Amino acid sequence: MGTADDLRLLRDYEPVAKFTEGEYFFPVSVERYVSRAGLWRADPGNTPVRISDPGSLSLGSLATAGGPQHGVGYSLSGIGAGEKHAHIPLRERPPHLARASRLASVGLTARLVDTLNRFSLLFRGSVPGGSAAHSWLLQRDHLEPMRPMYYGRVVRDDPWIVLQYWYFYSFNNWRSAFGGVNEHEGDWEQVTIFLDAAAGAPRPAWVVFSAHDEVGDDLRRRWDDPDLSLVGGRHPVVFVGAGSHSGAYLAGDYLITVRPPRLRGLVDALRWSARLMAPWSGEHQKTVGIPYVDYARGDGRSVGPGQPEAWHPVVIGDDTPWVRDFRGLWGRDTRDRLGGERGPAGPRYTRDGSVRACWADPVGWAGLAKVVPNPAEEKRYAEIRTQRDRDRIAELDDEISALRHELAVEAAGLAPADPEVRALVGREQRLLGLRMERTRLADELHRTSTAGPVAQNPHDHLLHRRLPMEPAEGFLGRAQSWWAVLSTPLILWAIGALASPITQIAGQETALVLLLLLLCVEGFVRGKLLAVLLRILLACATLFLLAVLWFDGRYVVTFGFFAAALLVLLVNIRESWRR
């Protein structure tokens, strides 16, 4: 197949992108971006060194400029990689977005993790202030944002035809403009459509929108999924997150909590303890992490078939030089240890220069290697499995018969206690295993021969169905938002005052009362006041026992033995009574 055929397929199913009102950045030309960018090398422990000045690069010279490492350790930047930027007024900035309170939607533990993450920006690389404004001016003046582009790739992996749509944004201003977790220059996102090519003319079967933490089966949605909107029956609608540029199937505001790679151990421990210590945290450990709201409302600019603006596609592949040969970052390298503030690598590579799984094996990346594309193919594969099971059952019957005969011969004329007979235990266990396997296969054959086609719900394959959150409205919603803003610093202050060696006893008592009061209010706001009170009582009982143990552990040990003796006596009496 040639480029013209690939372009026709890409055009036939190209997505419709609906952005959120207030979005700053849109998919632009990588050729224009590279022509305005400088190339920088980041050596460990040293100030970044500029290798090529802005205006000296092109897509053709990009890989060569990256040196023998093909750009590993290098980064492109349209706004520079060493200097800070002053904040500048943007007279043409998009309208202000009415934002939801991300902190009001999660519990106290998640808010503490968020505080820790934001404090960590003081000690790790982050995008300097003013970068988003300068990137926006670069986009406006040089990158033609009103001519939105995608870079399309077609992969034929029988029985699938994979259509990948790659979008490049010159900046991700998620943190500074929309309260997100991170911010970085450059952003690559994608939409992938899987066509079933097993039965004649290809037909769309699955679609994948790039999202934050989704992997495997959770990435994809079936073409008949009610969450998926289609224009003309062929063009899926992706609702683009404001600033983050992630993809959503349904319009709305999404609450998601993430685990930064370097904080995963801490977050996992907090998620485990959240069941006991934070009963108001909703889904407990699943909601503990860094919370953010992804605004994918679809009420802004719309690009694609049937929309006011059309896409301008470019076909790429493994033989496209700038895709294949440049492994550096497409944006400023801040050397952020957690990774969230660094520019991304290109569509083919990860930041360490290895090939992305979604590029090397898009079918396996989306969990489709185990999925049969259509009912006809499913029937064919089921027949293959049925015949395989029948053949295996025939083999098992022969093995079982031979092994039974062998055991009978070996034990004939001997007493059960003879060593020769006892030595047959291993072969008896093997006989049992063969019979168990035959029973399982026979049951499987019975199910497949009597059951008809299985009607599957479009969501059956999902472990987690990503849905927009229900925002709290009215007075209660405003109260929760303000409480989320004020409670975390107050609780931290109370804990600090309680633990401080310079605080007087009266002050520590006051801090303790304040802390307990704040925790009770937190439980009341979350509708878990009784659970909070029970846990406070449990904590007080634990502290009391520890205090007794500290001053004289003999009382605790004595009480423990008396309690154990009473318990054993009651159990023994019950067992004797039953006999």
Side-chain angles (χ1 to χ4, degrees), residues 337-369:
R337 296 181 182 88
L338 301 186
E341 302 282 312
R342 300 179 68 198
R348 193 175 194 270
Y349 298 107
T350 63
R351 289 191 181 104
D352 63 6
S354 60
V355 179
R356 294 180 189 260
C358 62
W359 185 279
D361 182 16
V363 173
W365 165 72
L368 281 174

Side-chain angles (χ1 to χ4, degrees), residues 52-313:
S52 300
D53 295 329
S56 63
L57 291 173
S58 66
L59 287 179
S61 64
L62 187 57
T64 303
Q69 298 299 318
H70 301 289
V72 176
Y74 288 62
S75 60
L76 290 164
S77 179
I79 57 174
E83 65 276 6
K84 295 184 178 180
H85 299 285
H87 288 279
I88 55 177
L90 295 179
R91 297 178 181 177
E92 304 173 36
R93 72 170 66 216
H96 178 70
L97 174 72
R99 299 191 303 191
S101 174
R102 65 191 182 91
L103 297 179
S105 303
V106 295
L108 174 62
T109 313
R111 301 204 299 271
L112 292 174
V113 174
D114 175 73
T115 301
L116 178 62
N117 177 70
R118 291 182 173 273
F119 182 72
S120 72
L121 287 174
L122 299 174
F123 304 97
R124 58 187 176 93
S126 60
V127 176
S131 296
H134 282 263
S135 290
W136 187 81
L137 292 177
L138 173 68
Q139 174 189 253
R140 184 196 66 182
D141 296 338
H142 303 288
L143 304 185
E144 294 186 342
M146 302 312 294
R147 194 172 184 270
M149 302 188 69
Y150 70 75
Y151 294 84
R153 177 193 183 214
V154 179
V155 179
R156 291 169 176 83
D157 188 357
D158 186 55
W160 303 102
I161 296 178
V162 185
L163 310 179
Q164 288 186 330
Y165 301 82
W166 289 92
Y167 308 92
F168 176 71
Y169 300 82
S170 61
F171 203 86
N172 173 318
N173 63 334
W174 187 19
R175 174 164 54 80
S176 62
F178 305 102
V181 174
N182 54 39
E183 181 147 327
H184 49 82
E185 183 184 6
D187 198 11
W188 280 101
E189 303 289 347
Q190 66 157 307
V191 171
T192 302
I193 297 173
F194 295 86
L195 307 180
D196 168 21
R203 64 175 187 86
W206 298 88
V207 63
V208 169
F209 297 162
S210 56
H212 300 283
D213 261 0
E214 305 293 344
V215 295
D217 294 343
D218 283 343
L219 279 167
R220 68 179 191 274
R221 294 296 182 93
R222 225 165 66 184
W223 201 255
D224 61 347
D225 192 314
D227 291 349
L228 181 64
S229 300
L230 297 171
V231 172
R234 300 169 69 92
H235 305 283
V237 177
V238 53
F239 297 95
V240 182
S244 71
H245 309 132
S246 67
Y249 296 92
L250 294 169
D253 297 349
Y254 290 81
L255 174 69
I256 303 175
T257 54
V258 298
R259 297 180 303 165
R262 298 293 179 89
L263 294 179
R264 280 182 179 171
L266 173 63
V267 173
D268 287 342
L270 289 172
R271 287 183 174 184
W272 177 83
S273 62
R275 293 179 181 272
L276 177 65
M277 302 306 297
W280 53 79
S281 62
E283 294 183 347
H284 303 296
Q285 69 269 26
K286 291 183 181 179
T287 62
V288 176
I290 301 174
Y292 60 86
V293 176
D294 210 11
Y295 302 97
R297 298 175 179 176
D299 55 358
R301 185 178 175 185
S302 185
V303 181
Q307 310 306 305
E309 298 180 67
W311 292 113
H312 296 78

Side-chain angles (χ1 to χ4, degrees), residues 426-476:
R427 279 182 278 182
E428 283 185 304
Q429 289 297 319
R430 171 166 170 71
L431 178 62
L432 175 60
L434 294 175
R435 284 192 173 277
M436 294 292 290
E437 182 182 358
R438 191 195 187 285
T439 302
R440 179 183 62 79
L441 292 176
D443 289 345
E444 184 177 292
L445 277 177
H446 176 72
R447 288 197 308 270
T448 56
S449 62
T450 58
V454 179
Q456 295 183 352
N457 185 286
H459 300 144
D460 282 348
H461 68 287
L462 296 174
L463 297 176
H464 167 67
R465 182 185 173 200
R466 189 178 177 219
L467 293 172
M469 64 181 184
E470 294 290 338
E473 299 177 348
F475 174 78
L476 179 60

Side-chain angles (χ1 to χ4, degrees), residues 507-563:
Q508 290 179 333
E509 293 174 349
T510 303
L512 177 60
V513 172
L514 176 61
L515 178 61
L516 294 177
L517 179 62
L518 290 171
L519 292 175
C520 289
V521 174
E522 175 77 18
F524 176 77
V525 170
R526 301 291 167 191
K528 302 285 185 179
L529 178 58
L530 181 58
V532 174
L533 293 176
L534 289 175
R535 281 159 175 79
I536 290 176
L537 290 175
L538 177 62
C540 291
T542 302
L543 290 175
F544 173 76
L545 289 176
L546 289 175
V548 172
L549 184 63
W550 176 267
F551 289 108
D552 195 342
R554 291 177 298 173
Y555 293 105
V556 177
V557 173
T558 301
F559 176 78
F561 273 104
F562 285 162

Side-chain angles (χ1 to χ4, degrees), residues 38 80 207 241 320 345 384 488 500:
V207 63
T320 305
I384 294 173
T488 307
S500 174

